Amino acid sequence: LNMRIKFAGMTFQNPFVLASGILGVSASLLKRVETAGAGAVTTKTVTRKPRSGYRNPVVVELEYGLLNAIGLSNPGVEEFSKEVAEAKKILSIPLIASVTGSSGGEMVELATAMEAAGADAVELNLSCPHVKGHGLELGHDPGVVREVVSAVKSVVKIPVLVKLSPSLPSLVPIAEKAVEAGADGVVAVNTIRAMAIDVDFRRPVLTSVYGGLSGPALHPIAVRCVYEVYEALGDVPIIGVGGVITWRDAVELMLAGARAVGVGTGIMYRGLEIFRELRKGLEAYMEKYGFTTPEELVGAAHK
Amino acid sequence: MRITDVSSTIFPGVETLHVKGVVKSVETLNRKVKLFQIMLEKDIRPSPGQFIMFWAPGVGEIPLSVSDYVEGLLDLVVARVGRVTGWMHDNVKLGDLVAVRGPYGRGFTVSGGGRCLLVAGGVGLAPLVLLARRLSEAGSIVDAAAGFKCAEESLPLDKLKRFTDQLIIASEAGDLGIKGTALDAARRLLDSNHYDMVYVCGREAMILAVVKECVSRGLKCEASLERLMKCGVGLCGACVIDPLGVRVCRDGPVFNGDDILKMSDLGRYWRGPSGAKVPLKGGVSAFEYED
């Protein structure tokens, strides 16, 4: 079966993409993810200056998912550009560079640097739920999103994707503005703002108090978000992300409208083998129902 | 055509929230090292070489080797090196409630039978105690080489002795056992015995030296490595070692000798909190840089 998909001008060997924030810190690790069977990889989000992130604990496992607030730790754009360039030398699958900043100007600078380092696409992280002045604080304002996306689009040639938050009442107005401003694709969704309190110590578990919830709890929310965006924007390519643990979760997101499927927390549950498991499961599903390409599944639940 | 369904097999090792425990004893082992014994509310069944994340509320959370474990009683051998370990030394006392998550990571291989050698450098002894217990339960004959800087910085070995056949102690100062390093002590045993497996834990430079020695003698070996860790569950990438792209928290902390010799980062770099590489001075282990 041909599992290849076209995405915003790129070709993915299969629809499964390493989601941002997961493992994407070093070229060597991205290569391992490629070897494990991913169709494309997204780097960890890079900022202008190095960021240490929050003090531990930065994650805690819950019954129904994972709560995290790493705090956008990254070595900064200068150091990270070298890692991206190194990754491009050893990878044969597309690399999407995730960036975030506190202004349009910063986003432009970062996107330009990532393009120069060889990234195949740039993902604007407008949806980090727990870092002040970054991400969601830009991404909740349709006007700002429009400005940021147009600014980036006016300087880079590689496809520009926008990562959206499920923490808003609806992400459709944001997605619409992003696409109007020239975004080539949408990534839905980031984690949802959440927290956990330790009942014995009577205090928040995460050092940053708030974090983002991923994993099985996020999945039905992601399905809803992707369905809404597809309903409103039709043929804009979407990477559906949120609680993909099994092939069934992935197929659900595709039927809702996702052309590609992000994998993140699933790696904690299933290990890197998850990429092969997902591919095998999707192949079997396609054979069972006579689909010849994953693209036939995209949005098929919209009647 | 049957569709492979994996939906019911969510990673079985995942524990939720922190497991609580009550401190049953705190013992000063030397000027820098204390032993904390914690009775956990839940049986976490760690295998030797695995680690837990110890949470000091309001202070931080760090990976610590499981030093020993008997029916919920968790032994942590902790050197005072940074903020969290300093807090533990100064604050954790008998009867306190503490929190850990885990166990995490891939530990030592225990195949059973044969003769094995443990090589411990300083507080690197910690994870080898539970290993010695499990090896001896599995019917292996266990020898050990333990090296310390000096007698004052040595650790009690009575527990290890219960599970070992031959034990050679070395000190660099020469005031305890033979004069020399853990590797010198190990060489004495390596020269006169055949080992089916050698297990190593200590500073990075020491690990590299012992692993090279074993590989040159054609012996299988495994060592427990250390890196700054954040998530502990293999997602954030903070502890990745180049060029293999292995995560110490999930693919390790125990690695085999062949892989260790391919790790160009080892003894040279670790990753700081931002993920940027920081030179490792004199092969000192990463935890000494904990902020």
Side-chain angles (χ1 to χ4, degrees):
Chain A
L1 270 179
N2 182 2
M3 299 299 278
R4 229 172 280 146
I5 59 147
K6 293 253 181 248
F7 194 96
M10 297 174 277
T11 302
F12 297 171
Q13 286 308 307
N14 64 63
F16 303 110
V17 180
L18 176 72
S20 176
I22 312 293
L23 304 180
V25 283
S26 81
S28 62
L29 202 38
L30 290 172
K31 183 68 188 176
R32 264 188 89 197
V33 173
E34 173 184 294
T35 309
V41 291
T42 315
T43 67
K44 212 163 163 63
T45 297
V46 65
T47 54
R48 223 165 119 229
K49 297 225 171 84
R51 287 179 57 93
S52 292
Y54 298 121
R55 275 187 177 170
N56 286 356
V58 291
V59 309
V60 63
E61 293 128 284
L62 306 175
E63 208 59 65
Y64 28 73
L66 183 78
L67 182 64
N68 94 83
I70 303 281
L72 295 177
S73 63
N74 76 92
V77 67
E78 204 185 314
E79 202 50 41
F80 201 65
S81 293
K82 295 180 210 159
E83 206 67 41
V84 168
E86 178 62 29
K88 278 305 294 175
K89 272 190 236 156
I90 56 176
L91 290 178
S92 52
I93 57 173
L95 177 146
I96 304 164
S98 172
V99 303
T100 199
S102 53
S103 68
E106 236 178 279
M107 290 286 205
V108 167
E109 188 188 323
L110 294 164
T112 309
M114 289 298 105
E115 182 176 46
D120 296 284
V122 63
E123 174 181 295
L124 308 180
N125 180 356
L126 298 174
S127 44
C128 177
H130 51 72
V131 176
K132 268 211 165 69
H134 287 76
L136 190 49
E137 289 185 20
L138 296 180
H140 75 271
D141 182 335
V144 173
V145 169
R146 199 198 159 106
E147 252 171 62
V148 170
V149 175
S150 337
V152 173
K153 274 303 285 183
S154 67
V155 293
V156 303
K157 291 190 187 65
I158 53 175
V160 175
L161 317 180
V162 175
K163 188 158 184 181
L164 301 175
S165 169
S167 301
L168 304 164
S170 168
L171 32 54
V172 171
I174 306 286
E176 278 171 347
K177 288 293 171 204
V179 170
E180 267 174 47
D184 301 280
V186 163
V187 184
V189 291
N190 208 314
T191 55
I192 192 162
R193 196 166 155 87
M195 76 180 284
I197 293 172
D198 186 283
V199 298
D200 296 305
F201 294 134
R202 293 180 280 281
R203 61 185 304 151
V205 178
L206 298 179
T207 304
S208 67
V209 180
Y210 307 109
L213 181 62
S214 61
L218 183 62
H219 181 66
I221 298 170
V223 173
R224 184 265 297 173
C225 291
V226 169
Y227 193 92
E228 279 180 347
V229 173
Y230 186 87
E231 190 95 325
L233 294 168
D235 51 7
V236 172
I238 303 169
I239 303 182
V241 197
V244 172
I245 317 294
T246 71
W247 65 267
R248 197 184 295 271
D249 305 323
V251 168
E252 227 184 321
L253 283 169
M254 296 180 86
L255 296 175
R259 180 165 275 274
V261 174
V263 180
T265 306
I267 294 170
M268 176 182 84
Y269 294 107
R270 309 289 311 155
L272 286 172
E273 300 73 41
I274 190 170
F275 287 101
R276 268 187 236 298
E277 291 173 2
L278 291 171
R279 189 195 163 119
K280 268 174 88 178
L282 176 61
E283 276 173 359
Y285 176 83
M286 285 168 58
E287 271 172 26
K288 180 178 174 186
Y289 290 105
F291 292 105
T292 54
T293 152
E295 303 198 344
E296 292 167 4
L297 302 181
V298 180
H302 293 259
K303 301 287 178 196
Chain B
M1 161 104 218
R2 194 175 145 266
I3 297 173
T4 317
D5 196 337
V6 292
S7 64
S8 62
T9 51
I10 280 200
F11 185 58
V14 171
E15 296 288 348
T16 59
L17 295 167
H18 288 85
V19 176
K20 303 296 163 44
V22 175
V23 177
K24 288 293 173 196
S25 78
V26 181
E27 192 185 330
T28 301
L29 302 184
N30 69 35
R31 200 163 48 84
K32 287 184 185 162
V33 182
K34 284 190 179 187
L35 164 66
F36 299 89
Q37 288 196 301
I38 298 159
M39 192 64 214
L40 296 176
E41 288 173 357
K42 187 166 154 186
D43 188 1
I44 63 168
R45 296 172 186 276
S47 53
Q50 282 193 305
F51 66 95
I52 53 91
M53 295 295 286
F54 182 94
W55 180 28
V59 184
E61 191 195 46
I62 53 166
L64 291 172
S65 294
V66 174
S67 183
D68 200 6
Y69 187 87
V70 181
E71 292 166 8
L73 187 66
L74 171 72
D75 279 19
L76 299 174
V77 173
V78 182
R80 178 196 278 273
V81 285
R83 193 162 36 85
V84 176
T85 53
W87 179 88
M88 291 178 76
H89 273 242
D90 296 338
N91 295 282
V92 174
K93 55 185 193 307
L94 193 69
D96 280 0
L97 189 73
V98 297
V100 303
R101 57 186 177 95
Y104 294 128
R106 211 171 55 176
F108 295 106
T109 309
V110 176
S111 331
R115 184 176 275 274
C116 304
L117 174 64
L118 314 182
V119 187
V123 76
L125 174 71
L128 301 179
V129 178
L130 179 61
L131 176 63
R133 179 189 289 279
R134 293 283 178 267
L135 285 171
S136 117
E137 284 167 3
S140 303
I141 297 164
V142 184
D143 292 343
F148 301 101
K149 271 196 190 122
C150 55
E152 200 196 355
E153 290 193 19
S154 69
L155 296 168
L157 297 165
D158 23 321
K159 204 178 219 174
L160 191 67
K161 278 180 191 155
R162 280 167 48 196
F163 309 113
T164 49
D165 180 22
Q166 309 172 73
L167 170 66
I168 297 186
I169 303 165
S171 62
E172 286 166 45
D175 55 356
L176 181 75
I178 65 166
K179 184 172 164 60
T181 63
L183 177 58
D184 296 323
R187 281 200 179 110
R188 295 204 177 184
L189 290 161
L190 287 164
D191 287 342
S192 48
N193 301 275
H194 173 79
Y195 292 104
D196 299 291
M197 182 72 100
V198 180
Y199 304 92
V200 195
C201 189
R203 292 187 172 204
E204 245 161 63
M206 171 269 190
I207 286 175
L208 275 171
V210 176
V211 167
K212 278 178 191 156
E213 180 79 24
C214 293
V215 170
S216 73
R217 290 173 186 250
L219 298 175
K220 281 200 292 183
C221 63
E222 289 182 343
S224 176
L225 303 182
E226 187 164 34
R227 279 296 182 274
L228 192 139
M229 286 182 195
K230 293 190 173 189
C231 78
V233 292
L235 289 182
C236 74
C239 62
V240 65
I241 294 188
D242 285 338
L244 300 184
V246 287
R247 302 156 295 174
V248 174
C249 75
R250 182 76 181 254
D251 302 306
V254 173
F255 295 93
N256 69 51
D258 293 334
D259 283 345
I260 285 170
L261 292 184
K262 289 180 201 144
M263 296 175 186
S264 53
D265 273 3
L266 219 66
R268 298 167 63 213
Y269 297 103
W270 65 294
R271 285 174 194 275
S274 75
K277 285 193 186 178
V278 181
L280 193 54
K281 294 169 199 133
V284 175
S285 71
F287 71 84
E288 308 211 359
Y289 289 88
E290 180 209 336
D291 67 332

